[in-house]
Amino acid sequence: MRPFALDRWHDFIKYHDEKALWDLLHPDAVFESPVVHTPQRGRDITFKYLVSAGSVLGGPGFKYLGEWRNENGAVLEFENEVEGIKINGVDIITFSDDGRQITHFKVMVRPLKAINLLHRLMGEQLAKAAAG
């Protein structure tokens, strides 16, 4: 059975409704980035990273290529092209026991050029968010 939160995540990707994303994230959510060495803990920081990632990666070329699920999580393979670099990666998402919220979100990206690009663009995006 597909967790309700997975449908809500796909809705966020499609509509970029930040209020819906906030509600989707568990208060103790953890975010793991391909460019930050330590897990980022809590809804606030997880929200900031996911909104910034949506701005950086979520352009018109973004698409999920595959989806693998189990009872409390999903792995979603994605791709996009940003600044002429093809980015391929996976979102590894864990859901609360009731399947209604995201408790853990890990992103893995390849190739190295894509990681370097995302590191720069995410830094710029997060700095803008902090200043605004």
Side-chain angles (χ1 to χ4, degrees), residues 53-85:
S55 296
V56 169
L57 271 174
F62 181 89
K63 64 182 170 184
Y64 280 118
L65 305 173
E67 182 176 296
W68 299 268
R69 299 184 301 270
N70 66 19
E71 62 279 349
N72 69 333
V75 176
L76 309 174
E77 182 183 10
F78 64 84
E79 73 175 12
N80 200 355
E81 187 171 313
V82 177
E83 294 187 7
I85 296 175

Side-chain angles (χ1 to χ4, degrees), residues 16 20 36 41 65 71-73 89 108 112 115 125 130:
H16 302 282
V36 177
R41 300 186 182 282
L65 305 173
E71 62 279 349
N72 69 333
M108 301 178 79
L112 181 58
I115 293 170
Q125 189 65 33

Side-chain angles (χ1 to χ4, degrees), residues 2 20 29 57 63 68-70 98 102 110 114 122 128 130:
R2 183 176 167 131
L57 271 174
K63 64 182 170 184
W68 299 268
R69 299 184 301 270
N70 66 19
D98 64 5
I102 292 172
R110 61 165 300 280
M122 285 292 293
K128 272 196 262 184

Side-chain angles (χ1 to χ4, degrees), residues 15-101:
Y15 301 113
H16 302 282
D17 180 348
E18 292 182 13
K19 166 84 169 83
L21 175 61
W22 179 262
D23 293 341
L24 177 58
L25 295 174
H26 189 276
D28 297 323
V30 175
F31 180 79
E32 291 188 71
S33 163
V35 297
V36 177
H37 298 288
T38 58
Q40 305 299 298
R41 300 186 182 282
R43 180 188 277 159
D44 289 335
I45 192 72
T46 299
F47 177 80
K48 288 176 188 172
Y49 270 92
L50 289 174
V51 168
S52 293
S55 296
V56 169
L57 271 174
F62 181 89
K63 64 182 170 184
Y64 280 118
L65 305 173
E67 182 176 296
W68 299 268
R69 299 184 301 270
N70 66 19
E71 62 279 349
N72 69 333
V75 176
L76 309 174
E77 182 183 10
F78 64 84
E79 73 175 12
N80 200 355
E81 187 171 313
V82 177
E83 294 187 7
I85 296 175
K86 189 169 184 171
I87 299 171
N88 176 244
V90 293
D91 293 332
I92 304 170
I93 308 170
T94 305
F95 305 109
S96 57
D97 289 340
D98 64 5
R100 302 188 70 75
Q101 288 186 301

